[in-house]
Amino acid sequence: MRFLKENYPLVILLVLVLATRFLFLSYPAEVVFDEVHFGKFVSAYFTHKYYFDIHPPLGKLMIAGIANLFGFNPENNFEKIGEAANARILFSLRFLPALFGSLFVLVIYKIILVLGGSRRAAFLGGFLIAFDNAFLVESKFVLVDSFLFFFGFSSLLVFLLSQRQENRFKKHLFYFSSMALAGLAFSIKWTGLSFLGINLLFSFFSFLKTINLKRFLKFSAEIFISLALFALVYVLPFAVHFKLLPLSGPGDAFMSQGFQETLTKGKYLSFGAKFIELNQKMFAYNANLEKSHPDASRWNEWPFMRKPVWYWEKNESGKNANIYLVGNPLVWIPSFIVLFSGIFLMKEKKWQAFLLLFGFLANFLPFIFVKRAAFVYHYLPALTFAVILFSLWWGKVMEKRPLGLFLGYLSLVMAGFLIVSPLSYGLPISAKAAAVYKILVGLLH
């Protein structure tokens, strides 16, 4: 009871976000968007037939592990969007992304507290993530982005906690744990590398405060151990990946003849050679992807919610249902407006503002140089930094304003979420209502 009394905002957030993520989790009982890929990848761990993906394997392994506990049976083909699928099987595959998408909100709450924000500011930050429709959609289906968000921002949280520790053992435990979590984020998608960069940069800033030979040697040792731990965490899932995929499969064609012979003829190739080749192929295919997509967008369009991504559609009995990845404007627009002004307004929290602005830019600006098709969901890590900064700004500037103003803003956010929600959950609506939503989506295109 004491825990509930002291942490009631956190408990309220958990209840709210679990409700949004697990509501209609088995619906639609059809393949949605990139479930056509991830469904195949996860199924491969049960058929043991080799597949190829441009992303590291950890996210797919995690989904497969939980699906196995649910008694998963790879009976669906996952050939196309809209393909009918067993609702129980879809629930088992969507369960872990929904869970991590929920826990991610709690991480944001704790980060804001550690950065010196009030409980009201922390609740606001968690609430904005919980009731943003884009984060909801990325958490509800067989996708791996919610793992990336959770591990990446958990890495930041634990790093911040390490800087507050007086006990040397605890300080190192938290510090190296943050590097391991950054390795997990990188093991989901390579864009998770930004979190290692953030941690290392601010470690370097801390080192600059007291430069001497002893401190230099200690700092060098910490960096060496951190990078070794980061690399180990990244490598280990590949060992499991290769172990579970010993047979010839659809991914053979992407690999060299020697690699293929380990699958078709059972020939041995030391783990290191397979690991290096697979990562080389992943890099090459990522760099050379030229296939266009009607919903692809450029980095400078994302803060303005341009180019929503179509995930699924169904027309039946005069009703129309669509799923789009589109954000809540009451979350995206205010957080972006405050992003650059906040660093000047928050005079007493300048290093926090700088950290968050750097985190935003580190997850945003690299996409300037990305030539392959990119989508608005690539903006979500950067958006999270903007939301955290906005929440701290609110706590600093608006904290002493009447509570009604705070509750009024939360109500507006909730209203925005509910208005967009038919496009997030794929709810069947009348043809007239569907036409209105189609116009709104069209305006963003």
Side-chain angles (χ1 to χ4, degrees):
M1 290 299 293
R2 182 181 177 183
F3 174 84
L4 293 177
K5 186 175 181 180
E6 293 178 351
N7 296 278
Y8 70 90
L10 194 64
V11 175
I12 293 171
L13 273 179
L14 181 60
V15 171
L16 290 173
V17 74
L18 285 172
T20 62
R21 272 51 178 174
F22 282 89
L23 184 66
F24 309 128
L25 191 60
S26 297
Y27 174 84
E30 295 182 1
V31 177
V32 174
F33 192 54
D34 275 354
E35 290 185 333
V36 295
H37 303 301
F38 290 105
K40 288 191 187 79
F41 300 154
V42 172
S43 296
Y45 291 123
F46 293 84
T47 62
H48 308 297
K49 294 180 180 180
Y50 185 77
Y51 76 85
F52 176 81
D53 183 27
I54 60 174
H55 301 301
L58 179 60
K60 285 84 72 175
L61 285 168
M62 292 171 61
I63 295 173
I66 294 298
N68 186 53
L69 296 179
F70 278 94
F72 174 76
N73 182 17
E75 62 186 55
N76 285 101
N77 295 321
F78 295 97
E79 289 296 335
K80 61 181 182 179
I81 295 173
E83 174 189 324
N86 183 292
R88 181 182 58 81
I89 287 177
L90 285 177
F91 182 89
S92 70
L93 295 176
R94 293 170 180 171
F95 177 85
L96 203 62
L99 178 62
F100 271 73
S102 302
L103 297 177
F104 168 57
V105 169
L106 306 189
V107 172
I108 300 307
Y109 177 91
K110 296 297 289 186
I111 286 175
I112 293 171
L113 288 182
V114 171
L115 288 173
S118 64
R119 285 202 297 181
R120 184 183 294 184
F123 183 84
L124 174 62
F127 189 91
L128 295 182
I129 299 294
F131 289 97
D132 178 71
N133 302 77
F135 281 107
L136 167 66
V137 170
E138 284 300 281
S139 301
K140 267 186 60 66
F141 301 107
V142 190
L143 306 169
V144 298
D145 295 83
S146 60
F147 305 146
L148 170 65
F149 305 151
F150 176 82
F151 288 134
F153 284 92
S154 292
S155 170
L156 178 62
L157 171 61
V158 176
F159 174 78
L160 292 171
L161 288 172
S162 75
Q163 303 304 297
R164 301 175 62 177
Q165 303 303 313
E166 298 293 336
N167 180 281
R168 182 175 295 181
F169 173 77
K170 286 185 177 180
K171 188 177 186 69
H172 283 121
L173 178 63
F174 278 80
Y175 181 76
F176 293 128
S177 295
S178 73
M179 299 303 176
L181 285 163
L184 291 174
F186 187 60
S187 300
I188 301 297
K189 287 187 175 181
W190 283 348
T191 51
L193 185 63
S194 63
F195 292 96
L196 175 68
I198 292 167
N199 291 354
L200 291 179
L201 178 67
F202 283 87
S203 296
F204 181 68
F205 287 161
S206 179
F207 160 70
L208 291 178
K209 294 177 182 177
T210 53
I211 302 179
N212 54 57
L213 180 60
K214 182 179 178 181
R215 182 74 183 96
F216 174 77
L217 294 174
K218 181 183 176 184
F219 177 71
S220 299
E222 288 175 350
I223 296 301
F224 176 80
I225 295 171
S226 296
L227 293 177
L229 186 59
F230 179 88
L232 179 64
V233 168
Y234 179 71
V235 170
L236 286 178
F238 285 89
V240 181
H241 177 73
F242 292 139
K243 182 73 173 177
L244 291 176
L245 300 173
L247 305 179
S248 177
D252 291 24
F254 295 90
M255 314 309 294
S256 69
Q257 186 65 33
F259 195 113
Q260 290 184 43
E261 288 182 352
T262 68
L263 306 170
T264 58
K265 300 179 181 179
K267 288 189 176 181
Y268 178 76
L269 190 64
S270 78
F271 169 73
K274 293 181 75 171
F275 170 80
I276 291 171
E277 179 178 337
L278 177 53
N279 277 268
Q280 288 175 335
K281 298 292 187 182
M282 288 161 55
F283 179 83
Y285 281 100
N286 264 300
N288 296 315
L289 275 177
E290 296 180 353
K291 188 177 180 181
S292 62
H293 191 284
D295 293 334
S297 52
R298 294 290 295 158
W299 62 277
N300 55 314
E301 297 176 295
W302 298 338
F304 309 104
M305 296 178 50
R306 297 296 307 277
K307 296 290 186 73
V309 186
W310 173 84
Y311 275 35
W312 175 84
E313 181 183 27
K314 192 175 186 69
N315 295 297
E316 194 173 65
S317 304
K319 297 286 186 178
N320 183 272
N322 281 275
I323 294 176
Y324 278 89
L325 184 126
V326 60
N328 183 340
L330 275 302
V331 175
W332 289 49
I333 295 173
S335 60
F336 185 70
I337 290 173
V338 169
L339 180 66
F340 294 100
S341 60
I343 197 168
F344 300 106
L345 295 172
M346 296 172 57
K347 295 180 181 179
E348 297 173 9
K349 288 187 170 64
K350 275 197 172 179
W351 77 265
Q352 292 96 324
F354 177 71
L355 168 68
L356 297 170
L357 181 58
F358 178 81
F360 175 88
L361 296 175
N363 283 276
F364 184 58
L365 293 184
F367 285 98
I368 295 175
F369 308 101
V370 173
K371 302 300 182 184
R372 53 162 287 193
F375 302 91
V376 69
Y377 54 73
H378 288 117
Y379 178 64
L380 294 182
L383 174 63
T384 303
F385 281 100
V387 166
I388 295 171
L389 182 56
F390 173 75
S391 301
L392 286 172
W393 170 84
W394 184 286
K396 173 65 179 172
V397 177
M398 309 293 284
E399 189 81 10
K400 295 181 180 179
R401 302 292 176 90
L403 179 61
L405 183 64
F406 178 72
L407 296 177
Y409 176 58
L410 295 187
S411 300
L412 287 174
V413 171
M414 178 73 79
F417 173 82
L418 292 174
I419 290 170
V420 178
S421 62
L423 301 182
S424 305
Y425 290 108
L427 302 178
I429 54 178
S430 68
K432 286 185 178 180
V436 173
Y437 278 104
K438 193 170 184 177
I439 292 172
L440 294 175
V441 170
L443 290 174
L444 292 175
H445 268 270

